[in-house]
Amino acid sequence: ATTLGASAAEQGRYFGTAVAAYKLSDTTYANLLRTEFNSVTPENEMKWDATEPSQGTFSYGSADQIVNLAKSQGKKVRGHALAWHSQQPPWAQSLSGTALRNAMVNHVTQVATHYKGQIDSWDVVNEAFADGGSGARRDSNLQRTGNDWIEVAFRAARAADPAAKLCYNDYNTDGQNAKSNAVYAMVQDFKARGVPIDCVGFQSHFNAQSPLPADYQANLQRFANLGVDVQITELDIEGSGTAQANSYAAVVRACLAVTRCNGITVWGIRDSDSWRASGTPLLFDGSGNKKPAYTATLTAL
Ligand code: XIL
């Protein structure tokens, strides 16, 4: 096939991108989105600060815009993210203990209920583990409500939308290391105790400091072997030219080699859409032209 989405579909996968609602009026952006991708992740529009700006008052306008566009174009939606230490509204940042726990559960329930039946996969919990060698949970206001906050969030999401796949999503877990070992142990424990979890997301933000790990495929495979789907959720790779193209192709090949790796999402369309302050980490240049990384990705699919 001649587009990323159609080629991935031939492999039984999706190929998605992060989408910003305010860019949908840009015709270059909207045309690339429509033609190349068959899954979308709202880049910021479903986060806690966007969807519940004041406690108990929900705001779905820009997220609905993305979901409705996806629906009209037959694309899947990855929901991102129900419970996360970052991009919380100020009122939540100032809560703790039972009040925060109850607010978090209510948030998960309300948002997952609003989108019930429309989300392929939800990032229920994002970035809950610490970097480095400790294998510990990340310290956060949510973590300080008790170590069980993650499973409580997953149970609330399952109750609200039983059809959505429920994912744990994180970064620096792309290879085998202390952080990914800790996530692995949590997934193993959830599976053993019947806590609902269906997928693990690997953000896959790569650059010179944190390149594509040599054991990427092996790491995806060991998670898949626990009985969860694995997804590449926020792919971007710093660099340019052949080196960048080769890395993108290697990511695609790793995913295709793992039966339960069911989709890849890049974190933006054009280089100018990237959240990165500088660099050229995506598949299309700032004018929307296909880069060598695009061609390598399409060829590998
Ligand atoms: C980023 C967005 O791309 C930016 O627009 C925003 O300012 C900050 O968040 N990990 C995640 C994403 O899970 O939600 C982040 O998205 C990038 C890192």
Side-chain angles (χ1 to χ4, degrees):
T2 58
T3 66
L4 301 170
S7 296
E10 288 177 353
Q11 307 288 339
R13 269 72 169 196
Y14 65 79
F15 201 101
T17 179
V19 169
Y22 76 91
K23 292 178 183 167
L24 292 173
S25 56
D26 174 332
T27 55
T28 303
Y29 184 87
N31 284 333
L32 289 172
L33 172 60
R34 178 173 50 79
T35 55
E36 289 287 346
F37 300 95
N38 59 1
S39 173
V40 298
T41 305
E43 186 172 357
N44 290 295
E45 291 78 354
M46 287 185 175
K47 292 171 181 176
W48 199 348
D49 59 355
T51 49
E52 196 180 2
S54 55
Q55 187 166 15
T57 302
F58 290 83
S59 146
Y60 296 115
S62 47
D64 284 355
Q65 204 187 331
I66 295 172
V67 171
N68 291 334
L69 180 72
K71 206 184 301 181
S72 75
Q73 297 183 355
K75 302 185 198 306
K76 293 183 193 300
V77 180
R78 293 197 81 264
H80 174 81
L82 293 171
W84 188 24
H85 70 277
S86 187
Q87 292 181 268
Q88 294 182 2
W91 64 265
Q93 292 178 39
S94 70
L95 291 182
S96 61
T98 305
L100 176 61
R101 175 65 70 96
N102 291 341
M104 181 275 286
V105 170
N106 184 56
H107 180 78
V108 171
T109 300
Q110 294 294 326
V111 177
T113 299
H114 178 80
Y115 289 110
K116 182 178 178 179
Q118 303 181 80
I119 304 294
D120 179 75
S121 302
W122 261 117
D123 289 333
V124 178
V125 170
N126 197 31
E127 301 182 351
F129 283 82
D131 290 315
S134 71
R137 295 286 184 86
R138 173 194 296 276
D139 179 49
S140 72
N141 61 344
L142 291 167
Q143 181 61 30
R144 289 191 290 272
T145 72
N147 206 52
D148 62 342
W149 73 276
I150 297 181
E151 63 193 80
V152 167
F154 274 85
R155 290 189 197 280
R158 179 69 98 224
D161 186 355
K165 291 186 197 176
L166 306 182
C167 303
Y168 176 78
N169 190 54
D170 214 327
Y171 67 93
N172 285 352
T173 50
D174 312 298
Q176 305 197 36
N177 56 42
K179 186 174 177 180
S180 66
N181 288 347
V183 175
Y184 182 90
M186 179 187 74
V187 174
Q188 200 169 38
D189 171 59
F190 280 14
K191 282 289 181 187
R193 291 190 297 112
V195 179
I197 184 166
D198 306 302
C199 38
V200 176
F202 298 84
Q203 292 187 9
S204 305
H205 295 294
F206 298 129
N207 57 25
Q209 288 69 46
S210 98
L212 173 64
D215 60 357
Y216 191 58
Q217 182 184 321
N219 191 49
L220 298 175
Q221 186 65 61
R222 72 168 175 152
F223 277 88
N225 291 345
L226 292 176
V228 289
D229 287 348
V230 294
Q231 303 177 352
I232 314 305
T233 53
E234 305 183 14
L235 179 63
D236 50 25
I237 307 177
E238 191 45 81
S240 63
T242 304
Q244 181 182 50
N246 289 343
S247 294
Y248 268 99
V251 168
V252 171
R253 285 195 302 266
C255 180
L256 294 182
V258 176
T259 305
R260 292 199 74 152
C261 182
N262 69 312
I264 298 174
T265 298
V266 289
W267 205 241
I269 298 178
R270 301 162 300 192
D271 286 335
S272 51
D273 298 317
S274 174
W275 69 303
R276 299 262 191 208
S278 64
T280 53
L282 294 171
L283 299 178
F284 297 87
D285 71 16
S287 305
N289 300 308
K290 295 169 179 172
K291 293 166 56 182
Y294 171 92
T295 307
T297 299
L298 182 65
T299 303
L301 278 168

